[in-house]
């Protein structure tokens, strides 16, 4: 048994005697493990006079992107590893030779791919950004007004956009959008999707997770497409929303606070008809300009009416 294992056992024994808090115990262990990690910080600055887009491909580690001065791009990297040798075998490669594009890549030269790199970027708001994390790590983006494309395996948060923003979480991550001015695309295998104060088209799909979308205004040319296999859907729409709405749930129920003018059809008033009425909707909100499709296999669907401000 190595030294660290003995210390962890001592922490556990002390915790049992002195503390009954599960969270406190986890924090103690995390604090100990972090204190035994090597950190190496580097900072770089780039002139963005000719840079219109940026791509970052990371192996393991989080990525945070915020906006700053229009003439410079600031890059901070934090390498984390158990030994200095492992940290030194991780390279951050930058390439600005391909026209107006800055490409940043993490190259892990360790055989077991140990260690990680956390990225912090301050960029001009107008930059188009593509981010990829092939391993573990969360993504946080705020105030970027260019086009955004993110592929990761953990949580993704995108706040204050003006153009298209696309996010894919391929493992157990959730996706959060807020204050979006452009179209939104979200896909997650095993996580929730939350959109707050959306103002354009939204395409959100989750295999195992709920979807909760709140609109401040749905344009006449906009569209909403929400689909989940195992999870509930809640869609909050302003009172003055105008859209064709179609949706269903296989095993849940469909509820709407909005008045929906249903398309007419002939049916017998029997058990099958009442069951269908609770699970399917095909009709119109207002003048029916935009389009809305909501589908959940194992969950329920609820349309909430919010007051226009």
């Amino acid at each position: 048994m190595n030294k660290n294992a003995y210390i962890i056992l001592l922490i556990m024994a002390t915790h049992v005697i002195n503390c009954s808090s599960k969270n406190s115990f986890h924090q103690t262990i995390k604090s100990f493990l972090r204190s035994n990690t090597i950190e190496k910080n580097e900072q770089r600055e780039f002139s963005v006079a000719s840079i219109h887009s940026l791509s970052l491909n990371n192996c393991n580690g989080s990525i945070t992107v915020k906006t700053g001065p229009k003439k410079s791009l600031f890059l901070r990297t934090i390498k984390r590893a158990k030994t200095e040798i492992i940290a030194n075998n991780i390279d951050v490669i930058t390439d600005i030779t391909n026209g107006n594009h800055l490409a940043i890549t993490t190259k892990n030269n360790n055989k077991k791919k140990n260690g990680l790199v956390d990225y912090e970027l301050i960029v001009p708001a107008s930059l188009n950004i593509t981010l990829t994390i092939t391993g573990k790590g969360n993504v946080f983006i705020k105030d970027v007004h260019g086009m955004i494309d993110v592929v990761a395996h953990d949580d993704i948060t995108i706040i204050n956009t003006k153009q298209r923003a696309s996010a894919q979480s391929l493992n157990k991550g959730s996706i959060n959008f807020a204050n979006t001015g452009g179209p939104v695309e979200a896909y997650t295998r095993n996580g929730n999707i939350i959109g707050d104060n959306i103002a354009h088209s939204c395409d959100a799909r989750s295999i195992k997770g709920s979807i909760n979308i709140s609109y401040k205004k749905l344009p006449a040319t906009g569209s909403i497409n929400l689909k989940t296999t195992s999870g509930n859907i809640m869609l909050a729409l302003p009172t003055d929303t105008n859209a064709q709405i179609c949706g269903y749930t296989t095993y849940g129920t469909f509820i709407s606070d909005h008045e929906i003018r249903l398309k007419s059809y002939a049916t017998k008033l029997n058990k099958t008809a009442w069951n269908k009425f609770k699970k399917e909707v095909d009709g119109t909100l207002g003048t029916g300009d935009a389009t809305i499709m909501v589908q959940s296999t194992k969950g329920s669907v609820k349309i909430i009416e919010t007051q226009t401000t």
Side-chain angles (χ1 to χ4, degrees), residues 12 49 53 55 69 73 97 101 120-121 133 141 143 156-157 166 202 204 217 219 233 245 254 267-268 272 284 297 304:
M12 293 173 66
S53 61
S55 64
L73 186 153
T97 59
H101 183 78
E120 298 176 2
L121 294 100
I133 302 178
I141 302 173
D143 297 328
I156 300 170
T157 301
S166 173
C202 177
K217 182 70 175 180
I233 295 176
I245 181 167
F254 200 114
T267 182
K268 295 180 179 179
T272 302
T284 304
T297 302
I304 295 175

Side-chain angles (χ1 to χ4, degrees), residues 104-176:
I104 305 170
T105 306
T106 303
K107 185 177 181 182
N108 193 328
N109 301 304
N110 296 291
K111 290 183 178 180
K112 295 184 178 180
K113 304 303 179 184
N114 296 325
L116 59 84
V117 181
D118 289 333
Y119 283 87
E120 298 176 2
L121 294 100
I122 299 177
V123 305
S126 60
L127 211 64
N128 295 326
I129 292 180
T130 301
L131 306 179
T132 304
I133 302 178
T134 57
K136 296 181 178 180
N138 300 327
V139 176
F140 179 87
I141 302 173
K142 185 177 181 181
D143 297 328
V144 173
H145 297 163
M147 291 187 291
I148 299 171
D149 287 279
V150 180
V151 178
H153 290 256
D154 293 324
D155 294 342
I156 300 170
T157 301
I158 300 175
I159 302 173
N160 299 341
T161 69
K162 287 191 176 180
Q163 296 193 50
R164 181 184 63 83
S166 173
Q168 296 183 61
S169 183
L170 303 179
N171 192 11
K172 294 183 178 180
S174 293
I175 298 175
N176 290 271

Side-chain angles (χ1 to χ4, degrees), residues 24-270:
S24 175
F25 170 69
H26 287 162
Q27 290 171 1
T28 303
I29 292 295
K30 287 181 179 179
S31 176
F32 166 74
L33 293 175
R34 183 170 293 180
S35 67
N36 284 266
T37 299
I38 300 296
E39 288 190 6
K40 304 197 74 173
N41 293 266
E42 295 181 1
Q43 296 188 48
R44 307 181 195 182
E45 181 179 355
F46 301 87
S47 171
V48 294
S50 60
I51 297 176
H52 299 156
S53 61
L54 176 148
S55 64
L56 197 166
N57 193 323
N58 195 15
C59 302
N60 288 294
S62 64
I63 301 174
T64 300
V65 182
K66 297 181 180 179
T67 58
K70 296 181 179 179
K71 296 182 180 180
S72 297
L73 186 153
F74 298 92
L75 169 64
R76 182 186 181 210
T77 58
I78 307 169
K79 297 179 183 179
R80 305 182 194 275
K82 290 184 178 180
T83 68
E84 190 165 353
I85 294 175
I86 293 174
N88 289 335
N89 280 330
I90 302 175
D91 296 324
V92 174
I93 301 170
T94 59
D95 181 6
I96 54 175
T97 59
N98 186 17
N100 298 319
H101 183 78
L102 170 62
I104 305 170
T105 306
T106 303
K107 185 177 181 182
N108 193 328
N109 301 304
N110 296 291
K111 290 183 178 180
K112 295 184 178 180
K113 304 303 179 184
N114 296 325
L116 59 84
V117 181
D118 289 333
Y119 283 87
E120 298 176 2
L121 294 100
I122 299 177
V123 305
S126 60
L127 211 64
N128 295 326
I129 292 180
T130 301
L131 306 179
T132 304
I133 302 178
T134 57
K136 296 181 178 180
N138 300 327
V139 176
F140 179 87
I141 302 173
K142 185 177 181 181
D143 297 328
V144 173
H145 297 163
M147 291 187 291
I148 299 171
D149 287 279
V150 180
V151 178
H153 290 256
D154 293 324
D155 294 342
I156 300 170
T157 301
I158 300 175
I159 302 173
N160 299 341
T161 69
K162 287 191 176 180
Q163 296 193 50
R164 181 184 63 83
S166 173
Q168 296 183 61
S169 183
L170 303 179
N171 192 11
K172 294 183 178 180
S174 293
I175 298 175
N176 290 271
F177 285 97
N179 305 326
T180 60
V184 170
E185 299 173 4
Y187 168 80
T188 177
R189 287 186 181 178
N190 194 351
N192 301 324
I193 299 174
I194 299 174
D196 183 42
N197 211 21
I198 309 299
H200 210 292
S201 297
C202 177
D203 189 335
R205 305 177 187 223
S206 176
I207 295 177
K208 293 183 179 180
S210 63
I211 299 175
N212 190 330
I213 305 295
S214 176
Y215 263 82
K216 62 180 179 181
K217 182 70 175 180
L218 177 60
T221 58
S223 64
I224 300 174
N225 189 357
L226 312 179
K227 184 176 182 179
T228 177
T229 301
S230 180
N232 297 324
I233 295 176
M234 186 172 73
L235 174 61
L237 298 170
T239 303
D240 60 354
T241 298
N242 299 303
Q244 298 288 332
I245 181 167
C246 182
Y248 65 86
T249 170
T250 305
Y251 297 104
T253 56
F254 200 114
I255 299 173
S256 174
D257 291 342
H258 279 269
E259 291 186 356
I260 301 175
R261 187 169 64 254
L262 299 175
K263 291 184 179 179
S264 61
Y265 63 95
T267 182
K268 295 180 179 179
L269 295 181
N270 53 25

